[in-house]
Each structure stands twice: as structure tokens, then as C-alpha cells.
Amino acid sequence: MLQFEKFTLDNGLRVIVHKDTATPMVAMNILFDVGARDEEVARTGFAHLFEHLMFGGSVNIPEYDEPLQMAGGENNAYTTNDITNYYIQLPLKNMETAFWLESDRMLSLAFSEKSLDVQRKVVSEEFKEHYLNKPYGNAWHELRTLAYTTHPYQWPTIGKNLEQIETAQLADVKAFFFKHYRPQNAVMCVAGNVTLEQVRELSQKWFGDIPAGDKYTRNIVAEPKQEVDRTLTVNADVPLDALYKAWHMAGRLTAPYYATDLITEIMGSGFSSRLYQRLVKEQQLFSNINCYHTGSLDPGLVVIEGKIREGKTIEAANEAVEREIALLVAEGVTESELQKAKNKIEAMISFEDMTLLNRANNLAFYELLGDAEMINKEWDHYKAVTAEYLQETARDIFRAGNCNTMFYLKKQAEVVAAP
Amino acid sequence: MTLDRTKPPVIHDAVEFDYKLPPLNTTTLDNGLPLYWVDAGVQDVVQIDWVFPAGLWFEQKEAVAHATAGLLKNGTSKHTSEQISEALEFYGAQLKTSAGNDFATVTLYSLTKHLPALLPMVLEILTEATYPEHEVEIYKRNVTQRLLVNLRQCEFVANQRIDALLFGEHHPYGRFTKQATIDAINREDLLAYYKGHYSLANVRMFMAGKVSVADVKHLNEVFGAAPIVATPVAPVAFDHVQRSERVQRISNEPNGVQGAIRIGRLFPNRHHPDYTPMVVLNTLFGGYFGSRLMSNIREDKGYTYGIHSSLGPEVNGGSLVIGTETGRDVTEAAVIEVYKEMELLCNEPADEEELLLVKNYLLGGILGDLDGPFSILQRWRTLILNGFTEEQFNRNINIYKNITTAELQALAKKYFVKEEFYEIVVI
């Protein structure tokens, strides 16, 4: 059980306080309710590019990192399809430095041309490093586009392509900031040996006078139900054929979400999982295989991906995966498999809660979902999943028409064009 | 009263704080095996490391150390690979096995409450592994396939090659995985290495988490009752072979859009008096987000997503390596900037304010590290495996707090000598 208290400032900023008396550090986590799903189709990758710009100086503080490092602190940030999260850890005695820095950049950025210019390049290099210059690096670009026809999950957080990042303008940056980075679109969590009163006072002092701004109302068109299976074949300069399969699943705040999480554990997580045992060890069709889900807030994807063992055909590998799926749907799972999956989740929750930063991050995330207290109910949701309900959920996910299959094939000895 | 946001709150310098390594308990099990343990944290979790002198340093045949660790839990005289995975994973536990340059480590992560159910299986793995033939075959094939994919990545190739340049391709620290060496290993090699190097007589055990004497008792009941047969590990020594060209350029992907740069030199290990001062200099140079290299090559020029310089201390030597991936058109420009930044540190003392910042950053990080059981254990493990005591930790803190800009400049002059660096660019 994670203990916490919370309050909301007049400008709408939600603040969670988590007390941990053992640590000499304090963690400050600020989560903004904006991710790649909020981007326009012609400006993808912007939420993530923007995350970089948040480190380029704010209206009253030219350098963000320097004072924080001087205070013995560390920080970083990440962007997902759903949210953007910033976090700091520093010695408790210097807690106010974090309030000073974070409130100033929530007030307004410096909006410097130089910073935009450099970060466009940095993000372009990030794009190249992770998505262009790696075998299979573009697989998720392709898979998302195949699985989502309508919903903005059809592009990854890095963006659809380099061009959209390279042409981002300062005017876009400003508009994005004032649309999404307002107090009422944010949740802050402060964790450490602190009191509610201390945090309230500091929050009021530093964040209290930031204008609330306009409330952003999300207006995303839901992905229509997929009725016909889709197949895509990609040829690329890779050493091995790879298979990717994706099925639409339920959203984060629904009951099937927990059953889905357990299904992916049973199917493809660990050496004793079904897919690993049967397809890597027994039938030896794959050299590796994984099953997981995207865990997104709007309905995400259950994914099975693996590299085909040399000498085996991708068709045979695909059929074997489909047989395992059919078996799951027809016969469900054993009580022992279900218990194992639950035991894994129980351990995972405990390990996740070990660090102060994770706790601060998770509390902020659940508050964004609706109420930080939900974090303490998660385990109950998992425990409540029965084998019958799991099978019912599997039937929904793996129904005919819901599948997207991508054959990612190695090109046979020919010259490959530059990407 | 309006708030003056241009005025920062008072900063308490981390150099003024106290740093005390939380205590380590030492228990000798009934059969004489040493157990080091740390009780900390509030979550009911535990990590146990079994550390053996079974790293690459000791292998007689290439690729054997990795494979012996990688296949450790793939069969015992009593259980199949599948049964072992099931027995561990049923409890939500993870058992990781890996071989590093010097040591091989087996690590168990689990909820504390499941320890009694898990420990007998871990003991069985450590004493009765059988390396079944078909498991070895699957391993070899799958490792080969993974290698094929990795070899298509410039950073992977660059990491392999810089170690080979620094230490020599046949030195354990310079060796790298090749298809031929994987092909050449067999079950007998692995069994022999296992028997010679995974003997309990040479293990050191480390445990951390929310653990008590009751958990030590569980461990003693299983590991303290195991028979110990003295298995001396013969000392091994390597000559540094004559190395090749100082500068190399490799074309790995004709159409690659980035190049991986590695610039490195040999650098002594933790026992050398220059090691700890170099931790400070290296941090300032390329060890954190505000470093000289990051400020120049990422934040000013935008050549890269990241550039880092890091120390690689081993039992028998070590290295200092700068690494980055940049756009293919700017690799040479980035290389020039790296040397420029070295030269600058030789020619001009760092700014006092900058050094204070680095000290505060380093010490703030240590303060954060002393918070969780696993990171506390990590610090102790490093001390013990290197033959140090808590005194070394305190001595290092003292150096972090007191080192001067003049000392850093002298250190830069001694080690940031371009002619002693090897460099490689892989596109």
C-alpha cells in the first residue's frame, strides 16, 4: 500500500504528496496530459520534440540543467503516445530548487531559436539511431500504420518521418506549450521525507500564480472495430525473417485490461511461457519470441513478435503461432498457469515500488487516470481474474478479423536503396 | 509580495553532506561459505548474487565463459530446462546468469517470502548442471542468429572493435564473439568449465533487500549444508600483445545514416591512485548530461543524441572510452571536437564553479544510491570483489569533496594524450 495525500491549487494543478521518512532524497515528478496521440497528422513527433525543448531554458532561468546539477540533482523525461513525464531526484535539503526550476518552465519557456534548431538536429539523430540505422528499426512504424487506420496511435512518439521534425517552427512550439503545458493539464507528485504542509506551501509559492490556461479537451476519433484480418509484407535489408502479429485489445481503464496483461504473461513472458517452450524449444521455428501489449490508455495492441530460425519458413512459423492462439481460445489456461502469471505480477509490483522515483511517477500516473488511490487497487484487479474470464477475454482479442500480420522479410541479395 | 523568479533558492552544496555506507552484515555459513548481506528497504523483495571466478579471464577456449553462464539453468541431473524455468517463474522469481570479464554472476530476484521454495533449485543449478546436448545446440544457433542481427549495428561493431584495439583480440578483455568461436564450442567444454569454475568453494554470496536473520537461516539450511570441495582456480596471466593501427575506419553498412565513434585508451583500475580522481575528471569531461562533450557535441552542434565517456575498471586493468553515434556526415567533425575538448582540459584549468557543480552532482548521485538495498549492495560488492573495505569508500568521498582544478588539469595532461588514444569509426 502506498500512502499519499493530495490537494489541488486554484489554477488546477493537482499535487500528490508521498511520505518516505527513510530517504535523504526527494523526487519530484510532473506529468503532462499530452502525448503523441494529441498530435496532428502533419506534425507528428512534436510532443517528443517538445520534451527536448523543455530543457532549453525557461522565461527566467536561462539554463535548466546547471542549477539542478549544482543542487546534486538528476533529471530526465520521456514521452509516450499518451503522456509526457518529467522527473527530478535531488537531496531533500535542495528541494526548493526543483520547485523553482519546474515552476518557471511551467510558467513559460524561453522559446529560443537556437534551442529549437539544435534539438531538431538532436531528435533527428535520435530518430536515425533508433529507427533508421538499426535492423528492424522501422518495424513499429509499419505495424502501427497497419493496425490503426484512424486513431493517432498509427504513429510512434518519435514521429512518422524525419521531415516533420526537421520543419518544426517556433510558432508551433509556442502554440503547443500554451495548449498543453498548463497547470490544469498537469499532475505533480513530490515524494520523500516531506510533509503535506511543506509541499503545499512551496507549491503555492512557486506554482500558485501560473495562469490556469484553457482546459484542453481531447477529441480523438476512436479506432473503428477491425473486421477483416490484414497482412503486410515488408522487404528490408535484415539478416533474418521476422514475424509480427498485432490484435486490438481493450483500453487501460477496462476490466479486460488486467486479463490481457495476464494472457501476455502466460503466452510470451519468460522461459516457461507457452510460446517460448513450444516454438523456440520444442518446434524450434523461432530463435526468439515475445508476447506483450502496448499498455496504452486508449485501446492498444497485443503483439507477438519473433525472429524465424534460419531454415524454417515464416509461413510455418505463422501457422504455429496461430495454432497456439487457437489452443488458448479453445481450451483456456490452467489454474497453475494463471497462478504463475499472478505471482509474476505481484513480484513486479513490489520491485517497481522500490525506488522513490517510480513511486512518484506511478502515483502521478494513476492520478491522471482518475485517482492516485487506484494504484493500491491494481493487485486486487489482477487477483480477481478467473480462468474463465481470461478465456473470454482471449476470445474477444483473438476473434477472426482482429489480426494484423506483418511478414518482415530479408531481401535476397540485391542492392538496397538508402532510406 | 511578488516572487522574484530570477533568484534561485539557496543551494546546499552536496560536498557538505555526510556520506555513510549503510552497514554490511557478514555471516559464515555452517560449511564455511561467506555471506554478505544488507537489510534495507520496505518492499518485501530480495536479491541474491552468487559470484564465481568464471568470467572471460579464465576461459581457455573462446566463447566458453558466456555459454557456460548462459546455459547454467538449462538442465540438471534432476530437472529439465523447462522444469527449472517453471519452478523459478511460478514464484514470480527471476534467475539471471551472466559472465563478465572477470566474474560470472548468478542473480536471484524474488519476493522474500518465496526464498525457501526457490533456494533448493538454485543450489541444484549451481551444483548439478548437466548441459544437455540439445540445449547446447539450440543455444549455439540462437546466439549465432542474435549475433547476425547485432553485427548489422554500427555501435555493436564499434564496441567490439575498440576493446580489441585496446587490449588485443586474444586478450580476454579484447575478445569478441564470432560465429566461428560459437560453432567450435561443445558440451564437454562447458561441463569442464562449469566443474572447474563454479565450485561452491570459490563462491561469494551477497544478499540485499528486506531480509532478516530468518532469511539468513533459510540460506544456511540450503547452502550451508552443501558439501564443499576445495577447487583451486589456477591464476591466469596475459601479455599485452602488440596492437595494430591507432586509427581505424570501418564500413559496415554502405547506406548507414549514422556512424559509431569510439575513442579510448587503457586506464588503470580502482587500485591505482589516479582512478578516483579520474572519476571526477571523466564526469566533467563526458560523464553526465552537463559534461563538456555533451554541451559541445549535442547541445551546441546537434551532431548526436548522446555522447558519453566512461571508465571500465576490471580486475586486471581497465579502459577509458568515449562513445557516440552521430550523423554520417559529421563523424570526422565530432572526432575532432572530442580531441579539442581533451586539449582544452590540458591547457586550461576547469572553472571552479564547474568543478563544484560536478562534485555536487557526483555526490548527490551517491546520496541517492545509498537509499535502496540493491544499490547499497552493489557498492559493497564492488569493494569486496576488489579487496577493499569501507575505508576505500570513505577515501573516495574525501577525494570527490576535495579535489582541485589544478589536480584535474595535471591528470588531464597525464592521460588526455592524443597519441595514446585508439579511435574507430564504424559506419
Side-chain angles (χ1 to χ4, degrees):
Chain A
M1 284 288 278
L2 291 186
Q3 305 295 332
F4 64 91
E5 295 174 281
K6 61 183 182 181
F7 59 89
T8 305
L9 296 182
D10 290 344
N11 57 16
L13 178 66
R14 287 159 280 178
V15 185
I16 313 280
V17 182
H18 169 62
K19 196 172 176 67
D20 177 341
T21 54
T23 174
M25 307 297 281
V26 64
M28 176 185 277
N29 187 98
I30 300 185
L31 192 158
F32 289 94
D33 187 4
V34 57
R37 66 173 166 168
D38 298 300
E39 294 162 346
E40 290 159 31
V41 65
R43 273 276 164 267
T44 67
F46 203 83
H48 168 254
L49 172 65
F50 191 85
E51 173 215 313
H52 280 244
L53 298 170
M54 282 287 279
F55 295 89
S58 54
V59 57
N60 296 294
I61 308 173
E63 271 279 345
Y64 175 87
D65 287 289
E66 243 178 68
L68 183 68
Q69 286 152 356
M70 188 58 97
E74 277 223 67
N75 72 91
N76 213 330
Y78 60 81
T79 308
T80 72
N81 292 80
D82 295 319
I83 55 135
T84 314
N85 193 53
Y86 298 82
Y87 52 95
I88 289 182
Q89 178 167 290
L90 78 174
L92 175 62
K93 278 186 176 170
N94 290 330
M95 172 164 65
E96 194 161 358
T97 300
F99 278 87
W100 171 64
L101 286 166
E102 290 299 344
S103 64
D104 200 53
R105 65 178 180 175
M106 196 183 289
L107 181 67
S108 181
L109 292 184
F111 299 117
S112 115
E113 275 291 355
K114 161 88 181 170
S115 172
L116 175 61
D117 184 47
V118 168
Q119 293 310 320
R120 268 193 303 240
K121 289 188 204 159
V122 169
V123 172
S124 293
E125 292 306 324
E126 184 181 1
F127 197 123
K128 290 181 203 166
E129 189 176 332
H130 295 149
Y131 304 91
L132 297 181
N133 217 37
K134 269 201 166 60
Y136 316 97
N138 70 342
W140 267 91
H141 278 85
E142 300 284 359
L143 191 61
R144 284 182 177 282
T145 316
L146 178 67
Y148 289 105
T149 58
T150 310
H151 192 281
Y153 285 164
Q154 65 188 264
W155 57 83
T157 50
I158 193 74
K160 278 187 169 191
N161 53 48
L162 274 174
E163 291 67 36
Q164 292 189 356
I165 292 162
E166 285 165 348
T167 54
Q169 299 300 312
L170 206 54
D172 305 325
V173 176
K174 278 188 189 163
F176 192 87
F177 180 81
F178 289 106
K179 183 171 176 189
H180 296 292
Y181 277 66
R182 297 294 78 211
Q184 52 181 325
N185 295 325
V187 180
M188 172 162 81
C189 180
V190 180
N193 195 1
V194 293
T195 65
L196 178 71
E197 279 324 305
Q198 251 178 318
V199 175
R200 195 198 295 274
E201 198 181 301
L202 285 169
S203 301
Q204 188 55 47
K205 174 179 173 184
W206 291 104
F207 289 90
D209 65 356
I210 301 175
D214 296 327
K215 179 77 190 163
Y216 165 66
T217 311
R218 184 166 283 115
N219 196 5
I220 294 175
V221 181
E223 181 67 19
K225 187 174 175 184
Q226 185 178 335
E227 300 287 5
V228 180
D229 289 343
R230 300 176 196 139
T231 304
L232 172 72
T233 300
V234 175
N235 288 287
D237 182 21
V238 292
L240 305 165
D241 291 342
L243 176 70
Y244 294 78
K245 290 175 87 71
W247 297 263
H248 295 278
M249 61 179 275
R252 183 67 182 80
L253 293 173
T254 65
Y257 180 87
Y258 301 93
T260 307
D261 205 16
L262 293 165
I263 288 171
T264 58
E265 282 290 333
I266 292 167
M267 292 304 283
S269 150
F271 297 110
S272 67
S273 67
R274 287 186 174 198
L275 294 175
Y276 186 81
Q277 275 304 325
R278 293 178 192 164
L279 306 190
V280 177
K281 296 300 288 291
E282 289 169 23
Q283 299 168 36
Q284 300 183 20
L285 290 159
F286 288 85
S287 60
N288 74 314
I289 192 161
N290 287 299
C291 177
Y292 53 89
H293 64 86
T294 53
S296 54
L297 297 185
D298 292 333
L301 300 172
V302 169
V303 179
I304 292 177
E305 63 159 280
K307 305 237 158 50
I308 315 302
R309 182 190 149 181
E310 212 142 17
K312 304 282 178 174
T313 68
I314 198 163
E315 291 78 16
N318 185 40
E319 278 164 25
V321 170
E322 283 176 352
R323 271 199 302 278
E324 290 302 326
I325 296 292
L327 192 71
L328 172 73
V329 169
E331 296 180 13
V333 299
T334 65
E335 281 303 330
S336 164
E337 282 179 308
L338 181 59
Q339 191 57 47
K340 177 171 70 173
K342 288 181 181 178
N343 289 347
K344 280 182 163 183
I345 300 277
E346 185 189 15
M348 214 143 63
I349 290 173
S350 293
F351 276 92
E352 243 187 55
D353 285 349
M354 284 188 76
T355 70
L356 192 66
L357 265 175
N358 270 349
R359 277 177 265 151
N361 179 194
N362 284 335
L363 284 166
F365 181 71
Y366 282 92
E367 182 63 23
L368 181 84
L369 292 188
D371 181 359
E373 181 55 24
M374 287 160 68
I375 195 171
N376 291 321
K377 309 262 167 62
E378 285 294 79
W379 178 224
D380 292 334
H381 289 304
Y382 284 105
K383 274 195 293 194
V385 175
T386 62
E388 291 71 36
Y389 186 68
L390 189 144
Q391 190 177 2
E392 197 182 305
T393 305
R395 230 178 264 141
D396 284 344
I397 295 171
F398 301 113
R399 68 180 165 76
N402 194 32
C403 184
N404 299 279
T405 302
M406 178 166 74
F407 298 105
Y408 199 106
L409 306 178
K410 61 176 170 186
K411 268 190 185 167
Q412 304 300 332
E414 56 173 303
V415 180
V416 183
Chain B
M1 191 188 77
T2 44
L3 189 62
D4 181 1
R5 290 183 175 274
T6 58
K7 200 168 162 281
V10 175
I11 285 178
H12 303 268
D13 286 325
V15 291
E16 289 157 18
F17 301 166
D18 285 331
Y19 299 86
K20 187 153 172 34
L21 197 53
L24 177 79
N25 301 291
T26 308
T27 301
T28 305
L29 304 189
D30 288 350
N31 54 4
L33 292 185
L35 168 70
Y36 307 96
W37 57 287
V38 171
D39 172 23
V42 291
Q43 273 70 36
D44 290 307
V45 298
V46 62
Q47 169 187 351
I48 306 179
D49 292 333
W50 288 265
V51 181
F52 296 92
L56 274 72
W57 186 261
F58 300 97
E59 69 182 14
Q60 304 284 320
K61 185 171 171 182
E62 291 193 23
V64 166
H66 279 309
T68 306
L71 281 162
L72 191 61
K73 55 179 180 176
N74 285 48
T76 66
S77 46
K78 298 193 186 87
H79 293 96
T80 64
S81 162
E82 179 176 11
Q83 288 168 333
I84 293 166
S85 296
E86 182 65 32
L88 298 169
E89 291 176 10
F90 181 80
Y91 294 101
Q94 283 191 52
L95 190 74
K96 301 206 161 157
T97 60
S98 67
N101 275 339
D102 297 303
F103 301 103
T105 307
V106 176
T107 302
L108 177 71
Y109 296 100
S110 169
L111 293 177
T112 313
K113 65 181 177 183
H114 294 314
L115 263 193
L118 294 163
L119 289 173
M121 182 55 88
V122 179
L123 177 67
E124 189 180 310
I125 290 166
L126 294 182
T127 54
E128 297 179 58
T130 51
Y131 295 90
E133 194 71 62
H134 70 279
E135 294 286 340
V136 176
E137 286 316 307
I138 294 174
Y139 169 89
K140 285 168 69 174
R141 197 174 52 231
N142 292 349
V143 167
T144 304
Q145 294 212 187
R146 199 161 60 227
L147 179 67
L148 282 179
V149 175
N150 284 335
L151 286 173
R152 300 295 300 276
Q153 302 179 48
C154 59
E155 62 255 50
F156 181 86
V157 175
N159 284 338
Q160 286 193 328
R161 296 306 175 92
I162 190 69
D163 286 344
L165 274 181
L166 290 175
F167 295 98
E169 260 193 61
H170 298 289
H171 188 279
Y173 301 163
R175 252 170 231 166
F176 54 85
T177 312
K178 299 180 197 76
Q179 181 154 0
T181 56
I182 299 170
D183 287 346
I185 55 173
N186 59 47
R187 175 171 187 260
E188 285 65 41
D189 297 329
L190 308 187
L191 264 179
Y193 198 68
Y194 172 69
K195 293 221 161 77
H197 293 82
Y198 282 79
S199 164
L200 283 185
N202 303 319
V203 75
R204 277 176 284 186
M205 282 184 273
F206 301 87
M207 174 164 77
K210 195 175 165 188
V211 288
S212 63
V213 284
D215 300 301
V216 174
K217 197 163 150 276
H218 291 313
L219 205 65
N220 188 41
E221 278 162 11
V222 178
F223 279 84
I228 303 299
V229 183
T231 314
V233 174
V236 191
F238 289 90
D239 292 333
H240 267 185
V241 287
Q242 188 60 39
R243 282 166 275 135
S244 48
E245 287 295 298
R246 202 182 66 75
V247 173
Q248 282 193 14
R249 297 291 180 265
I250 292 182
S251 172
N252 194 57
E253 291 291 323
N255 297 317
V257 292
Q258 279 193 325
I261 302 170
R262 299 292 181 274
I263 301 177
R265 62 162 296 147
L266 293 174
F267 187 78
N269 66 15
R270 291 186 164 88
H271 290 274
H272 194 282
D274 288 339
Y275 181 82
T276 305
M278 183 53 97
V279 171
V280 181
L281 178 62
N282 182 66
T283 303
L284 185 148
F285 174 58
Y288 76 123
F289 194 83
S291 72
R292 296 277 182 100
L293 292 178
M294 273 293 235
S295 306
N296 177 351
I297 294 165
R298 169 175 150 141
E299 291 298 304
D300 184 56
K301 305 209 166 53
Y303 288 165
T304 179
Y305 179 50
I307 179 163
H308 306 277
S309 167
S310 47
L311 295 172
E314 308 289 354
V315 169
N316 299 287
S319 62
L320 185 162
V321 176
I322 298 125
T324 183
E325 283 74 48
T326 72
R328 74 175 286 157
D329 303 337
V330 293
T331 54
E332 298 305 328
V335 168
I336 291 170
E337 291 301 321
V338 170
Y339 288 117
K340 255 194 215 166
E341 291 297 340
M342 283 190 207
E343 216 181 300
L344 197 61
L345 284 168
C346 296
N347 294 341
E348 288 172 29
D351 190 75
E352 295 293 341
E353 187 81 356
E354 183 185 11
L355 177 56
L356 178 62
L357 185 151
V358 166
K359 289 176 174 182
N360 282 340
Y361 169 80
L362 257 177
L363 289 161
I366 291 173
L367 197 65
D369 250 17
L370 298 182
D371 194 19
F374 297 172
S375 50
I376 295 168
L377 185 75
Q378 163 75 30
R379 297 233 164 226
W380 274 113
R381 193 175 48 210
T382 303
L383 290 175
I384 288 167
L385 292 177
N386 284 284
F388 294 130
T389 64
E390 193 175 0
E391 206 30 59
Q392 178 74 10
F393 174 82
N394 297 331
R395 204 180 66 86
N396 290 348
I397 295 286
N398 220 18
I399 292 173
Y400 295 155
K401 285 183 173 184
N402 296 308
I403 195 165
T404 64
T405 54
E407 286 170 281
L408 287 190
Q409 190 181 2
L411 197 65
K413 282 183 174 161
K414 185 169 171 188
Y415 290 103
F416 286 168
V417 179
K418 185 175 177 182
E419 293 67 36
E420 290 172 13
F421 278 83
Y422 286 75
E423 60 169 81
I424 184 152
V425 178
V426 181
I427 292 180

